[in-house]
Amino acid sequence: MVIKMQNKALDGLFQELLATEPIFNNKEVLRPTYTPDTLVHRDEQINSLATILVSALRGDTPSNILIYGKTGTGKTAASRHVGRELERIGEQLNVQCSVVYVNCEVIDTQYRLLANLARQFGEDVPMTGWPTDQVFAKFKEAVDSKKQVIIIILDEIDKLVKKGDDVLYNLSRANSDLKQAKVSMIGVSNDLKFTEFLDPRVKSSLGEEEIIFPPYDADQISDILVERAEIAYKNGVLEETVIPLCAAFAAQEHGDARRALDLLRVAGELAEREKKSRVQEEHVRRAQDKIEVDRVIEVVKTLPTQSKLALCAVINLRNNGYKNVTTGEVYNVYRQLCINVDMDILTQRRVTDLMSELDMLGIVNALVVSKGRYGRTKEIVLSVPVSSTQRVLFEDYRLKPLENFKPVITTQMHL
């Protein structure tokens, strides 16, 4: 009886929500997975890609390409857009061109990559258990069954390289074993330096061509948002200031169009939840806060335990009234935390390196300051909301005992 009443109440709740007039036409166009039919402000990069890949339509092997650029500069969208056009024109010309997309953040080992590629060409390969050589042989057998040119887009290729570059070496040499098919690769990365870790043979083979995607400026981001908003939203639901504000926020984030699209989508979701008929400036500002908190939570969750302890030390000092603290002062508290939870204590130099990594992630701000004749030191300032960061840290069972920990302050702190 109780369950029936609950179901009835839920029915009424959903019916009430469905009766609310939606402000979205198609929310999916504001997600990073959407590939638009046209890409504004990327003509030069698209032309460069097309110029290299056109040889596939002549049945030749295109050069391997490395694409660099910060997050949200259109690298993935441009690669997929050109790949889709290549397949379409190939069909018209009766030339078999296949473009395969792989996200290396998800498929991040040699075995997984080769198994995924073999499966995309019809081979029933298990995701674990076979010798890697056997999986690679199956992939080559599958693609070489007919005359075709295959372009493999390896998005976030640096994540794959961290686990070793054997697979890139093998793929770059695959053409010497193929009789009918030809394979070429497009590596996409946010990290301009990742090739430094590659075997020189892989580096020269993979980087035959390089294309750089510069950040967008605020006006360019605004143009992208206007184009997407026309499809995503119903007419007249966006206040005039919404798109310029989303663009301005994203331009501060190194010209990240993906961030701008997230802002525009989340602002609309907030307005819809409030049953508002228009998306307003306040929704964008709240969306900015929400996305930042969500980003911090995701980053902090995935930190190694030692980095979490170093961050916990900074927060602990902050909660005790100390805002600008030196790495030495952080290390003093970090040691106490390690002892309390029975963790290995790293050297002060290693903890300083961890603070630099947290600085790169935007979690702390580490400033080098001069102490006159006492030399230079780093001052650490927290850059993220304390309460939500603390909550995520203490979700880790290893750090849970530190929830009410009070450090012994033995140095002169900066209040």
Side-chain angles (χ1 to χ4, degrees):
M1 183 69 182
V2 174
I3 291 170
K4 277 186 180 177
M5 286 175 70
Q6 282 177 342
N7 285 346
K8 196 172 179 183
L10 279 172
D11 286 348
L13 172 65
F14 284 122
Q15 282 167 359
E16 185 186 332
L17 290 168
L18 286 169
T20 308
E21 189 66 31
I23 57 176
F24 287 103
N25 270 331
N26 181 2
K27 198 193 292 185
E28 295 310 303
V29 304
L30 299 176
R31 295 192 186 276
T33 47
Y34 175 77
T35 304
D37 293 329
T38 57
L39 275 167
V40 293
H41 303 298
R42 282 295 174 252
D43 291 347
E44 185 185 328
Q45 289 76 19
I46 286 170
N47 286 339
S48 297
L49 262 172
T51 303
I52 298 162
L53 296 178
V54 71
S55 54
L57 297 171
R58 302 187 184 108
D60 299 326
T61 313
S63 297
N64 293 323
I65 308 166
L66 277 180
I67 294 174
Y68 299 106
K70 289 184 182 289
T71 304
T73 50
K75 305 180 302 297
T76 303
S79 306
R80 298 187 81 159
H81 172 73
V82 173
R84 197 168 59 190
E85 283 299 296
L86 188 73
E87 288 183 330
R88 188 177 67 80
I89 301 297
E91 274 181 35
Q92 289 177 8
L93 300 174
N94 206 23
V95 177
Q96 184 68 44
C97 287
S98 296
V99 179
V100 179
Y101 173 83
V102 181
N103 185 338
C104 299
E105 189 166 34
V106 180
I107 299 165
D108 62 350
T109 65
Q110 172 169 252
Y111 187 99
R112 279 187 202 162
L113 175 60
L114 292 173
N116 181 275
L117 291 172
R119 280 166 164 255
Q120 293 209 40
F121 288 95
E123 289 293 334
D124 188 18
V125 177
M127 289 313 279
T128 56
W130 282 14
T132 306
D133 290 351
Q134 186 183 351
V135 183
F136 192 40
K138 276 286 183 189
F139 164 68
K140 287 189 286 189
E141 189 182 309
V143 299
D144 213 24
S145 60
K146 60 183 174 183
K147 191 173 181 180
Q148 60 179 332
V149 180
I150 293 151
I151 315 290
I152 303 168
I153 300 173
L154 298 172
D155 201 359
E156 305 213 39
I157 191 173
D158 44 292
K159 303 289 194 302
L160 183 69
V161 169
K162 283 178 183 171
K163 305 274 178 83
D165 60 7
D166 291 355
V167 68
L168 298 179
Y169 179 67
N170 290 332
L171 284 171
S172 67
R173 294 175 69 246
N175 288 314
S176 58
D177 300 328
L178 300 174
K179 292 180 174 64
Q180 296 198 86
K182 295 177 174 72
V183 174
S184 106
M185 290 180 283
I186 299 175
V188 181
S189 177
N190 303 330
D191 183 358
L192 288 164
K193 294 182 178 177
F194 93 94
T195 55
E196 291 174 9
F197 305 104
L198 293 174
D199 179 297
R201 293 168 300 174
V202 178
K203 189 175 178 179
S204 62
S205 169
L206 190 63
E208 290 172 330
E209 300 277 357
E210 293 188 351
I211 301 172
I212 308 290
F213 278 62
Y216 294 109
D217 63 31
D219 289 339
Q220 290 173 331
I221 293 173
S222 193
D223 291 342
I224 293 165
L225 294 181
V226 167
E227 191 174 75
R228 298 281 185 100
E230 283 177 5
I231 311 167
Y233 283 102
K234 297 198 167 178
N235 285 338
V237 301
L238 297 182
E239 278 193 352
E240 283 182 16
T241 53
V242 165
I243 283 177
L245 188 58
C246 288
F249 278 144
Q252 291 168 8
E253 296 280 333
H254 317 295
D256 186 344
R258 192 178 295 181
R259 176 65 171 250
L261 291 164
D262 281 345
L263 276 171
L264 191 56
R265 175 179 53 80
V266 174
E269 288 170 349
L270 291 173
E272 210 167 45
R273 280 173 209 163
E274 293 172 4
K275 300 180 183 176
K276 292 280 171 67
S277 58
R278 300 197 82 200
V279 184
Q280 300 166 324
E281 192 176 306
E282 61 159 310
H283 295 124
V284 177
R285 295 190 185 280
R286 279 174 32 219
Q288 168 83 337
D289 293 339
K290 184 179 186 300
I291 288 169
E292 184 55 32
V293 169
D294 291 349
R295 184 193 75 83
V296 168
I297 287 168
E298 279 310 304
V299 171
V300 172
K301 264 184 188 171
T302 56
L303 287 174
T305 306
Q306 289 287 357
S307 296
K308 285 181 179 176
L309 283 164
L311 178 57
C312 202
V314 178
I315 289 175
N316 213 305
L317 288 163
R318 177 80 172 72
N319 288 343
N320 280 279
Y322 305 108
K323 292 176 184 174
N324 295 22
V325 291
T326 66
T327 45
E329 291 158 352
V330 171
Y331 186 69
N332 172 31
V333 176
Y334 158 82
R335 287 182 80 259
Q336 294 177 52
L337 296 174
C338 288
I339 292 164
N340 202 271
V341 291
D342 198 24
M343 291 289 292
D344 291 340
I345 300 171
L346 302 179
T347 63
Q348 184 163 343
R349 173 175 277 190
R350 182 68 192 109
V351 172
T352 302
D353 290 343
L354 293 181
M355 297 315 301
S356 297
E357 288 167 20
L358 292 173
D359 184 20
M360 282 171 60
L361 291 167
I363 293 171
V364 301
N365 192 4
L367 301 166
V368 177
V369 293
S370 173
K371 295 287 183 184
R373 61 196 177 95
Y374 298 107
R376 296 190 308 166
T377 186
K378 269 188 182 173
E379 278 194 354
I380 312 296
V381 184
L382 202 63
S383 304
V384 292
V386 175
S387 57
S388 53
T389 307
Q390 206 166 241
R391 190 172 65 250
V392 176
L393 285 173
F394 295 139
E395 280 173 8
D396 187 329
Y397 72 93
R398 289 160 295 196
L399 272 65
K400 186 74 176 165
L402 300 172
E403 212 161 353
N404 299 310
F405 179 78
K406 295 276 185 217
V408 177
I409 310 297
T410 59
T411 56
Q412 184 61 45
M413 299 291 185
H414 303 273
L415 287 168

